[in-house]
């Protein structure tokens, strides 16, 4: 091994790609068809510029409650408060989870404690974020728009 390679190797920075593990990954929980009658943890990720994030969370909770969900926890992740700067305020903390890893751990612990059935995120989620959060939280994670769309009242059947 060359001298400079040895130095780089032991500096603590490993630039090799992650090793793929063999075996099957745990299957993500089934997609939630309806929030009616479920215990839901509500999560929001907002920019520091968003002054009325409390009202947005309250509105989302009201919409879900109107569709039969029971809100058992609420979490807010703010962007631009402590670090990140003004240029990054509109960006998510993570492209995979939308939230910081510490907040994901907090939400997961609260879901376990409250025995939540699902997590509804006020902010729109990409498919990757939805899949990743579902696996990391151990329960279906979906955006508010998807939860409300899945729970639209069906039109009445025509009378015959």
């Amino acid at each position: 091994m060359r001298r400079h390679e040895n130095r780089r190797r032991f500096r603590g920075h490993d630039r090799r790609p992650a090793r793929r593990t063999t075996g099957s990954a745990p299957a993500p929980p089934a997609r939630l068809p309806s929030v009616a009658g479920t215990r839901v943890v509500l999560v929001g990720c907002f920019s520091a510029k968003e002054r009325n994030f409390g009202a947005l969370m309250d509105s989302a909770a009201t919409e879900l409650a109107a569709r039969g969900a029971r809100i058992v926890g609420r979490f807010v992740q703010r962007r631009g408060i402590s670090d990140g700067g003004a240029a990054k305020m509109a960006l998510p903390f993570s492209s995979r989870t939308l939230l910081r890893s510490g907040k994901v751990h907090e939400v997961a612990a609260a879901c376990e404690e409250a025995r939540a059935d699902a997590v509804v995120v006020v902010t729109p989620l990409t498919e990757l974020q939805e899949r990743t959060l579902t696996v990391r939280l151990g329960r279906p994670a979906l955006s508010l728009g998807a939860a409300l769309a899945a729970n639209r009242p069906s039109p009445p059947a025509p009378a015959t």
Side-chain angles (χ1 to χ4, degrees):
M1 189 178 310
R2 292 186 184 135
R3 189 173 175 180
H4 71 279
E5 288 178 31
N6 192 23
R7 248 192 339 239
R8 190 183 307 160
R9 181 175 167 208
F10 293 108
R11 254 193 287 168
H13 299 291
D14 190 4
R15 295 197 171 126
R16 292 176 292 176
R19 190 179 347 166
R20 299 204 184 265
T21 58
T22 57
S24 61
R31 179 136 177 114
L32 194 66
S34 171
V35 294
T38 60
R39 300 166 59 88
V40 173
V41 171
L42 188 61
V43 178
C45 182
F46 302 102
S47 164
K49 292 179 182 178
E50 184 67 57
R51 300 282 184 213
N52 63 345
F53 69 92
L56 292 171
M57 291 290 286
D58 291 340
S59 172
T62 303
E63 287 286 330
L64 289 169
R67 287 170 170 76
R70 181 170 170 223
I71 308 299
V72 295
R74 291 169 58 144
F75 289 88
V76 174
Q77 176 80 67
R78 299 293 307 270
R79 178 67 193 236
I81 298 294
S82 58
D83 62 353
K88 296 182 179 179
M89 273 202 264
L91 300 174
F93 278 115
S94 166
S95 61
R96 291 184 64 82
T97 63
L98 185 73
L99 310 167
R100 284 195 161 179
S101 61
K103 189 63 75 175
V104 173
H105 290 299
E106 272 184 61
V107 173
C111 287
E112 287 297 320
E113 185 178 319
R115 295 187 322 265
D117 300 315
V119 175
V120 175
V121 182
V122 176
T123 314
L125 296 173
T126 64
E127 287 182 33
L128 175 64
Q129 291 168 340
E130 210 171 277
R131 282 192 318 262
T132 304
L133 284 172
T134 295
V135 169
R136 293 201 44 201
L137 297 173
R139 55 201 31 84
L142 59 158
S143 66
L144 179 63
L148 297 179
N151 290 284
R152 278 202 181 106
S154 58
T160 54

